[in-house]
Each structure stands twice: as structure tokens, then as C-alpha cells.
């Protein structure tokens, strides 16, 4: 799977700084996999063989995108994977609001994906009445803002060539002045 480091410039988000992603995690229903990204000789087309490769993954920073590949064993069964990561600079600060614009699934897939469930955990002290969210992609996608500081995004099936992304407007005062000043570098 690939994750773009930059937003498509045609989306007019006011962001021009690439995302900084770390703390990668890949898990299935039973185990979390071992990260082999530290091996400098890894290549995108690497195909590990044997039992040693099972339940491992690696991430390659390809400048414009991150490439994630994981290895598992399955025999006539369905498997679900959970991909986790930390985006250090996910928020774009504007003059009057803070914005998260994130593409959960890109449109490069040639197979149907789903079901897809995303839980966005917001800061505990956020004012939910001043928080707005939009979901872009398939028309049957679902979005709900819980009483807890969480937003849920889901879709049962994502057709090939279709993206699944969200835009969330957050109150600017959710973030410290220091965070806003650091985050504003390279924006707007």
C-alpha cells in the first residue's frame, strides 16, 4: 500500500508541506507484525520467502509517498489488517480554523476494498459544537461524531478507483499558540 506525503494540489487545502509519518504498525486479528524498515537494503520489489517473513512488514520513504508492504500466511481464509501510524504534522492551521484533511484510502486500488472503518480520536478538551466533518468519496459512506471526542467514518465497499477521505474543521483554540506557530511554517 502507498500513502501520499502531500495532498493533491487541486483540492485547494492551503497546505504545501508534506506529511511526516512515523510509528508504523501492521496487525491482523491475532498479532502485530515485526517492523523491518530499519534494514537499509530493503527494496520495493522485495519478496521474502519462508516462515521468517511471515508477520513482518517494512516501510520505504519514496519522497512523495510511503510504501508499506507486509507478509502473512493465509490458506482459503479471509484476513483483516489494521494499519496504524502517527502523523506528526497532520493539522493545517488557517487564520480562523485548524483543518485535518486525510485520505484514508486512495484511488489507485484495482480491487474492491471493505468494509473500511476509521476512528479519529480528537483531543479530550475539544469543543464538539465547533467541530465539523465531511466525508468525500462513495455516496454510501457514513460519518458520525460521537459524544466522546471521536469521529467515525465507514463504508461497506469501496469500488476500484474510488478514494475515501475526510475533512475535519477544528476550533483553532484547541491547539496551543506554539503548535500553531510551528505548524504554520510553509502554509498559506
Amino acid at each position: 500500500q502507498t500513502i501520499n506525503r502531500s495532498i493533491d494540489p487541486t483540492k485547494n487545502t492551503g497546505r504545501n508541506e508534506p506529511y511526516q509519518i512515523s510509528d508504523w504498525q501492521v496487525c491482523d486479528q491475532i498479532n502485530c507484525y515485526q517492523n523491518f524498515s530499519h534494514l537499509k537494503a530493503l527494496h520495493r520489489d522485495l519478496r521474502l520467502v519462508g516462515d521468517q517473513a511471515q508477520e513482518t512488514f517494512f516501510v520505504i520513504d519514496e519522497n512523495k509517498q510511503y510504501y508499506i508492504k507486509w507478509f502473512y500466511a493465509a490458506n482459503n481464509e479471509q484476513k483483516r489488517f489494521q494499519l496504524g501510524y502517527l502523523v506528526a504534522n497532520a493539522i493545517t492551521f488557517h487564520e480562523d480554523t485548524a483543518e485535518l484533511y486525510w485520505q484514508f484510502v486512495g484511488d489507485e486500488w484495482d480491487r474492491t476494498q471493505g468494509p473500511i472503518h476509521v476512528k479519529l480520536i480528537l483531543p479530550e478538551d475539544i469543543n464538539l459544537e465547533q467541530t465539523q466533518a465531511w466525508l468525500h468519496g462513495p455516496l454510501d459512506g457514513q460519518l458520525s461524531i460521537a459524544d466522546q471526542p471521536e469521529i467515525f467514518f465507514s463504508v461497506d465497499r469501496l469500488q476500484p478507483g474510488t478514494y475515501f477521505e475526510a475533512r475535519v474543521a477544528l476550533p483553532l483554540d484547541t491547539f496551543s499558540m506554539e503548535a500553531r506557530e510551528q505548524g504554520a511554517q510553509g502554509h498559506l
Side-chain angles (χ1 to χ4, degrees):
Q1 178 171 340
T2 58
I3 296 179
N4 291 329
R5 294 193 66 193
S6 300
I7 293 176
D8 179 349
T10 64
K11 300 206 186 251
N12 296 325
T13 65
R15 181 184 185 92
N16 57 23
E17 180 182 346
Y19 292 112
Q20 299 168 5
I21 304 177
S22 63
D23 298 350
W24 297 91
Q25 187 177 46
V26 175
C27 302
D28 61 21
Q29 302 97 310
I30 301 169
N31 294 312
C32 288
Y33 294 9
Q34 186 173 358
N35 185 343
F36 281 123
S37 299
H38 62 280
L39 298 177
K40 300 296 182 197
L42 289 177
H43 185 269
R44 181 187 247 269
D45 296 325
L46 178 66
R47 289 181 181 11
L48 297 176
V49 293
D51 292 339
Q52 293 176 334
Q54 292 179 25
E55 299 184 3
T56 66
F57 75 98
F58 64 84
V59 179
I60 299 174
D61 182 346
E62 297 180 330
N63 290 330
K64 292 187 178 193
Q65 66 186 10
Y66 292 97
Y67 176 77
I68 305 102
K69 186 169 187 169
W70 57 93
F71 301 89
Y72 60 91
N75 186 14
N76 197 24
E77 63 183 293
Q78 211 177 52
K79 290 189 79 80
R80 291 181 187 237
F81 297 97
Q82 180 176 335
L83 176 61
Y85 45 85
L86 173 68
V87 185
N89 60 343
I91 304 297
T92 302
F93 296 99
H94 301 285
E95 188 175 311
D96 59 347
T97 191
E99 177 186 42
L100 172 68
Y101 192 100
W102 194 256
Q103 189 170 79
F104 302 118
V105 180
D107 60 3
E108 302 89 17
W109 291 92
D110 60 0
R111 294 197 173 112
T112 299
Q113 303 294 313
I116 299 167
H117 303 283
V118 176
K119 177 170 73 171
L120 177 63
I121 301 170
L122 302 171
E124 288 185 23
D125 57 348
I126 195 164
N127 183 338
L128 289 175
E129 291 179 6
Q130 294 180 358
T131 300
Q132 297 179 359
W134 297 267
L135 183 59
H136 305 287
L139 296 177
D140 60 340
Q142 300 291 315
L143 176 153
S144 65
I145 299 177
D147 292 336
Q148 310 296 326
E150 299 172 342
I151 302 177
F152 298 94
F153 306 93
S154 65
V155 66
D156 289 332
R157 294 173 59 90
L158 189 64
Q159 296 300 323
T162 306
Y163 60 86
F164 186 65
E165 64 188 22
R167 180 174 265 167
V168 180
L170 306 162
L172 199 55
D173 64 3
T174 303
F175 303 92
S176 70
M177 184 57 78
E178 181 183 345
R180 286 185 264 171
E181 288 172 356
Q182 287 177 350
Q185 295 174 11
H187 295 166
L188 302 179

